[in-house]
Amino acid sequence: MKYAKFLSDDESAYIEWVGSLFSEGFIKRTYDLNDNITFEQKFIDDKGKTICKFFYENGSIFCEYEATFFPDNKSGLFIEFYENGKIRVKGQFSESHFGYRVGKWIFKNENGSLDEIEKYKLEEELWDNGIIKTLKA
């Protein structure tokens, strides 16, 4: 198993790598300068599918979601938590168009009661050759 832990270029965080870069099982973690975990990304297949987690200062999970290669490429289940561990938001991002909300998103209050439900639909407008012209969310 390969392992590295180093100070980021801007010296604002520590970065830890465990396993073979960008292959199934590879884990990237980021820690603040006090060595508290702030982010974790685990590759769950060799096609770039990952599970990303961000953490509160106390170590509890702030949010967890699926992404493809890079944390900004949200593409699947997304869950955000209150600091007390209760779910704040739960929904899906498009698997084919990163970062676009699709389906039903549930928003809850800090006590766990339902706040609201929003529904999202992604529509594609295509050129004659099949290439995407526009996306409407």
Side-chain angles (χ1 to χ4, degrees):
M1 175 173 289
K2 298 176 182 175
Y3 178 84
K5 189 170 184 180
F6 52 92
L7 191 59
S8 63
D9 289 341
D10 65 1
E11 299 183 356
S12 66
Y14 292 105
I15 299 170
E16 178 181 55
W17 291 348
V18 180
S20 298
L21 280 177
F22 310 121
S23 62
E24 184 175 354
F26 173 69
I27 300 171
K28 176 186 177 186
R29 293 184 185 105
T30 305
Y31 300 85
D32 65 20
L33 295 177
N34 294 319
D35 216 25
N36 299 309
I37 190 166
T38 58
F39 172 74
E40 177 183 271
Q41 181 179 26
K42 182 175 184 179
F43 282 70
I44 59 175
D45 66 23
D46 285 327
K47 297 176 182 166
K49 191 69 168 176
T50 69
I51 302 293
C52 296
K53 296 178 184 178
F54 284 88
F55 297 87
Y56 285 105
E57 284 184 23
N58 69 6
S60 64
I61 297 176
F62 169 70
C63 69
E64 178 176 1
Y65 59 89
E66 296 174 18
T68 303
F69 281 109
F70 302 105
D72 290 343
N73 293 345
K74 295 178 180 96
S75 60
L77 181 63
F78 176 91
I79 304 172
E80 185 177 312
F81 300 90
Y82 287 103
E83 206 162 349
N84 65 13
K86 292 187 185 275
I87 292 176
R88 181 174 181 266
V89 180
K90 185 175 183 180
Q92 286 280 133
F93 282 99
S94 170
E95 294 283 342
S96 55
H97 304 294
F98 304 137
Y100 284 92
R101 292 179 180 188
V102 293
K104 181 168 66 171
W105 281 65
I106 299 169
F107 298 82
K108 294 188 174 188
N109 295 309
E110 198 163 355
N111 65 10
S113 64
L114 183 64
D115 185 28
E116 76 179 288
I117 295 175
E118 293 182 10
K119 294 184 180 178
Y120 294 86
K121 183 178 179 185
L122 186 60
E123 297 177 14
E124 296 178 347
E125 184 180 350
L126 304 177
W127 293 101
D128 291 337
N129 63 4
I131 294 175
I132 297 172
K133 185 178 185 180
T134 58
L135 287 172
K136 296 177 186 174

